[in-house]
Amino acid sequence: MKYNIFLTSLISGTLLFTSCEDFLDQQAATSYTKSEVFNSEELTANYMENIYSVLTGDLYSSQLPILFGVNSDVELIDGIGATADAANERGYMNYNTSNAKDWTTNDKLYGNLYQVIGNCNSVIEGINESSIKDNESMKQFLGEAYVLRATMYMELTRIYGDVPAIFETAREDLTNVYVGKADRDFIMDEVMKDLEKAEDLLANSTKSADHANQWYAKALYAQLALQRCGYAIREPQRNQPYAEQGYDGYINANTDADSRKTISDEIYPTMRCSDEVRAKYYLQALVKLNEIIQSGNFAVASDFADYWHNMTTK
């Protein structure tokens, strides 16, 4: 009798567990698979709008222009009323304080930048696998994803230097999520290649300022090329980070000229690429900027008031 009761209970439990498994495996009626999203122009457009919403949120409204924007020698610190010192959030970028490790705003900024990168990775991978990838709108979305990812890496390398280089969607086993940092020069070289692809995908229209276009891709390429060949604080004793790729040795600010001896640390040297490599990137930037200027689509603002008015009323 006891055996029959136990067997009945065991069978009932097994059936219940199986039913629970089936129930938990159900897909929500309001969710979409990756294939469904990127095989639909409408759903892909919605996905892109979500990416842009992160850009127009705290990322470019406060975190980058205000908090990290004061990390220079020309900022107006007391204009908002808060004193910038080692105990104040607005002073973290100008003071070496032990409290900076607890600065949550820094974590939020870092997370937002990589959130956009992760979403762009999904778009790039999803569209390249899509059956409608040759549609003009899908090409535009793909180009925008390349451009937005490059923009985020420009910001990351400018603020943090060497950072993790993630160019694919996260795997389920997380084997490509927890990665070490890569040299900023490698990252900039990679996204500049992406921008070359983006130019062929993006519309050259200047009618809308809401989405990235071909001209923005060219300007961003030029910006990265100039950033790529400038001075930067390097890892300890780095000399030839990419010798295997044929790059020449980097020039230390200590030895470049006597007048620069005071701007380079012995352990973390201020360095730039060689004159030959720098000339190559300067030329690449010049070509892109000339294409923008010679297109006749743009003009340099002659009056700052007019420029401000145009930027804030469109």
Side-chain angles (χ1 to χ4, degrees):
M1 182 65 177
K2 291 182 179 179
Y3 174 78
N4 291 335
I5 294 175
F6 172 76
L7 184 60
T8 301
S9 300
L10 181 62
I11 293 173
S12 300
T14 303
L15 291 173
L16 178 61
F17 181 75
T18 303
S19 299
C20 287
E21 276 193 325
D22 293 339
F23 176 77
L24 294 174
D25 287 341
Q26 296 299 312
Q27 181 178 333
T30 56
S31 67
Y32 297 95
T33 66
K34 177 182 174 183
S35 176
E36 288 173 333
V37 171
F38 297 110
N39 278 296
S40 164
E41 293 184 10
E42 181 181 1
L43 293 178
T44 303
N46 291 340
Y47 196 98
M48 291 300 301
E49 289 301 326
N50 288 332
I51 297 177
Y52 279 103
S53 70
V54 178
L55 299 180
T56 56
D58 291 342
L59 190 58
Y60 277 104
S61 67
S62 61
Q63 292 170 349
L64 285 170
I66 297 178
L67 293 171
F68 279 82
V70 301
N71 188 25
S72 71
D73 57 356
V74 296
E75 72 275 10
L76 180 62
I77 288 296
D78 296 325
I80 306 179
T83 301
D85 55 31
N88 184 279
E89 184 178 68
R90 296 180 63 220
Y92 280 144
M93 292 304 295
N94 291 2
Y95 295 87
N96 182 15
T97 169
S98 60
N99 294 330
K101 62 182 175 58
D102 299 320
W103 191 25
T104 59
T105 302
N106 181 60
D107 292 338
K108 292 176 183 176
L109 169 62
Y110 193 83
N112 282 337
L113 290 167
Y114 272 106
Q115 178 184 348
V116 174
I117 288 173
N119 289 336
C120 288
N121 288 342
S122 296
V123 173
I124 293 167
E125 196 171 288
I127 293 179
N128 282 326
E129 297 172 355
S130 172
S131 61
I132 59 171
K133 64 181 179 181
D134 293 328
N135 291 12
E136 288 303 314
S137 61
M138 299 301 284
K139 290 180 181 179
Q140 175 70 22
F141 295 142
L142 179 58
E144 289 182 33
Y146 279 129
V147 167
L148 295 179
R149 185 172 70 178
T151 302
M152 297 300 97
Y153 275 121
M154 178 188 70
E155 302 288 9
L156 279 164
T157 54
R158 186 158 55 183
I159 296 171
Y160 300 106
D162 298 343
V163 294
I166 302 173
F167 293 103
E168 59 182 1
T169 57
R171 302 191 190 108
E172 291 183 0
D173 60 4
L174 303 181
T175 54
N176 65 338
V177 173
Y178 301 104
V179 297
K181 59 187 175 182
D183 191 283
R184 74 197 75 183
D185 291 344
F186 165 76
I187 294 173
M188 284 185 276
D189 285 343
E190 290 300 304
V191 297
M192 286 167 69
K193 294 175 187 175
D194 289 341
L195 292 174
E196 293 278 18
K197 300 175 189 174
E199 282 191 43
D200 295 330
L201 297 165
L202 293 168
N204 61 8
S205 172
T206 59
K207 293 181 180 179
S208 174
D210 295 335
H211 289 259
N213 59 28
Q214 187 181 103
W215 305 108
Y216 176 75
K218 291 178 184 291
L220 181 60
Y221 186 103
Q223 173 66 45
L224 281 162
L226 295 175
Q227 182 176 323
R228 169 68 175 80
C229 61
Y231 278 105
I233 297 174
R234 301 286 170 177
E235 293 291 333
Q237 307 304 320
R238 171 168 288 151
N239 183 33
Q240 291 182 308
Y242 294 119
E244 70 278 5
Q245 297 186 27
Y247 293 165
D248 294 329
Y250 278 45
I251 294 175
N252 191 321
N254 272 348
T255 58
D256 198 17
D258 290 341
S259 61
R260 298 191 181 119
K261 283 186 177 180
T262 59
I263 66 172
S264 185
D265 186 90
E266 292 184 1
I267 299 177
Y268 293 94
T270 302
M271 306 181 79
R272 66 164 173 81
C273 52
S274 67
D275 291 339
E276 293 79 12
V277 175
R278 189 159 64 153
K280 179 186 75 172
Y281 284 104
Y282 277 155
L283 179 60
Q284 291 177 357
L286 181 62
V287 168
K288 298 297 182 184
L289 294 175
N290 274 337
E291 289 176 359
I292 297 172
I293 295 170
Q294 293 172 6
S295 72
N297 293 318
F298 309 93
V300 177
S302 59
D303 183 85
F304 183 77
D306 290 340
Y307 174 77
W308 178 257
H309 175 76
N310 292 335
M311 289 296 292
T312 56
T313 57
K314 287 184 178 180

